[in-house]
Amino acid sequence: MKTLYFAGGCFWGVARFFSGVPGVQKAVAGYANGRTPDPTYAEVYSDLTGYAETVEVEYDGRQVDAATLSRLFFCIIDPVSLNRQGEDIGTRYRTGIYYPDLEQAEAIRPVWEERRQKAGASFAVEFRPLENFYPAEEEHQDYLEKHPGGYCHLGPKIFRYLQLWSDARSLLEGEADPVAVMALLSALIQQRMRFFWTGFYRVVDGTLVLGPFQGDVACLRIGYGKGVCGSAWAEDRTLVVPDVEQFEGHIACSTLSRSEIVVPVHDAEGRVAAVLDIDSTETDTFDASDAAWLELICYLCRL
Ligand code: SME
């Protein structure tokens, strides 16, 4: 069994989140990297002790690894929010990954670096050795199981995505055929999240060609740099479009589509091999959290 420490805002929600990850045996709410020994909740709450509300995640390395846990962690935090997550403000709500040994540190570093580069100068996620950790009082353990409907800064969408990711991972285990993978993922995403259109366009001979999808009939081919899909491919980054009418060159496969997200899918060499395109009939459907989750899901289908 291995242990890692994640500070991601209020530990009630973070503990509930990690306890739902397959391979995690235990998620203990506590206080890490502060000054005074054995602090109480009230002392940490004063924000004078230097502690961060942190979750100790005990996991079975055969089922889930440190890099995957870190990728999941980046799906539940705002990495550019300093000392604040959701409505919770204070240094005790800072974000960080605290590692107890160098082996785990080396496994996590590329994930942290990638996120740091994406986020730019405001990146606020610590990456440090664990100095100390004290479990919180019993009333804070399994808090949201004891208080269903209690305060949780992580919204329901996060828990729906966690279930989706975890089901996709087990359903796709051992499957290498790209069309099968894309077919299963588009059906699963569409079924669980109830979007308007979910599908893949594959890169074939220098153009995007329609692949497995769920929803209305869509255009068959999209050129490099064209529309949202072709732009995400050319720029090799996720594009979140809150209002398709504001996106110059948007290709309207359906007049009902109002907002959209497109995520590049990479092959083993890191080249864009396809894009995942999701449309909604409402404006402003997708945000940075959708982007992080869908990137993680696309990571499952290295083509
Ligand atoms: N709107 C996309 C085209 C694909 S359809 O949304 C399914 C775009 O602008 O690339």
Side-chain angles (χ1 to χ4, degrees):
M1 218 52 73
K2 293 180 172 179
T3 313
L4 258 181
Y5 297 80
F6 295 100
C10 176
F11 55 19
W12 295 340
V14 177
R16 179 177 168 216
F17 175 78
F18 278 109
S19 64
V21 174
V24 170
Q25 310 287 320
K26 235 163 70 178
V28 179
Y31 315 112
N33 286 14
R35 290 180 293 269
T36 51
D38 210 8
T40 64
Y41 185 77
E43 283 164 359
V44 174
Y45 204 84
S46 74
D47 231 20
L48 299 170
T49 60
Y51 281 97
E53 288 201 8
T54 299
V55 173
E56 180 183 60
V57 174
E58 196 179 297
Y59 66 99
D60 178 351
R62 291 165 306 186
Q63 290 185 59
V64 66
D65 57 26
T68 304
L69 289 171
S70 305
R71 288 186 189 282
L72 285 165
F73 171 69
F74 278 104
C75 290
I76 66 166
I77 57 161
D78 179 351
V80 295
S81 177
L82 180 65
N83 299 329
R84 172 178 187 157
Q85 291 295 305
E87 293 310 308
D88 301 312
I89 301 171
T91 59
R92 62 195 180 282
Y93 298 121
R94 67 184 181 271
T95 50
I97 305 176
Y98 308 126
Y99 48 86
D101 58 65
L102 286 177
E103 190 193 326
Q104 293 189 89
E106 289 322 306
I108 296 165
R109 194 178 303 282
V111 178
W112 184 82
E113 269 298 335
E114 178 196 307
R115 292 289 150 174
R116 190 169 68 95
Q117 276 169 26
K118 255 190 197 161
S122 335
F123 189 63
V125 184
E126 295 184 334
F127 180 51
R128 307 172 50 87
L130 180 78
E131 288 159 24
N132 51 16
F133 176 81
Y134 295 95
E137 297 83 339
E138 184 48 40
E139 61 189 288
H140 296 292
Q141 304 303 335
D142 305 316
Y143 183 88
L144 290 164
E145 281 69 40
K146 292 174 189 158
H147 305 275
Y151 170 78
C152 183
H153 73 291
L154 304 176
K157 187 169 78 173
I158 279 183
F159 293 92
R160 276 213 304 281
Y161 268 124
L162 174 60
Q163 192 62 51
L164 168 60
W165 171 81
S166 132
D167 291 346
R169 205 171 74 124
S170 55
L171 288 165
L172 292 174
E173 203 187 335
E175 182 52 66
D177 184 87
V179 174
V181 170
M182 289 187 283
L184 185 122
L185 276 180
S186 54
L188 196 64
I189 295 170
Q190 185 76 347
Q191 200 183 69
R192 297 291 174 80
M193 308 306 282
R194 303 264 160 225
F195 295 128
F196 172 63
W197 196 94
T198 302
F200 290 87
Y201 281 88
R202 292 179 305 139
V203 175
V204 182
D205 298 332
T207 185
L208 287 172
V209 180
L210 184 63
F213 72 95
Q214 300 273 315
D216 286 0
V217 163
C219 44
L220 282 167
R221 286 171 185 263
I222 299 172
Y224 184 81
K226 303 286 182 210
V228 187
C229 292
S231 303
W233 172 25
E235 293 171 32
D236 192 0
R237 66 185 180 99
T238 299
L239 293 181
V240 175
V241 179
D243 179 352
V244 295
E245 280 171 24
Q246 305 301 317
F247 188 97
E248 215 185 299
H250 168 257
I251 301 164
C253 289
S254 163
T255 50
L256 294 174
S257 173
R258 299 253 69 88
S259 61
E260 171 161 1
I261 184 168
V262 179
V263 184
V265 178
H266 298 97
D267 63 17
E269 277 81 52
R271 286 182 304 244
V272 178
V275 297
L276 167 64
D277 176 13
I278 302 181
D279 291 16
S280 162
T281 53
E282 318 269 316
T283 51
D284 277 319
T285 300
F286 308 101
D287 58 19
S289 162
D290 294 278
W293 277 108
L294 293 167
E295 284 167 12
L296 190 67
I297 287 164
C298 285
Y299 198 74
L300 289 174
C301 56
R302 299 244 131 198
L303 300 174

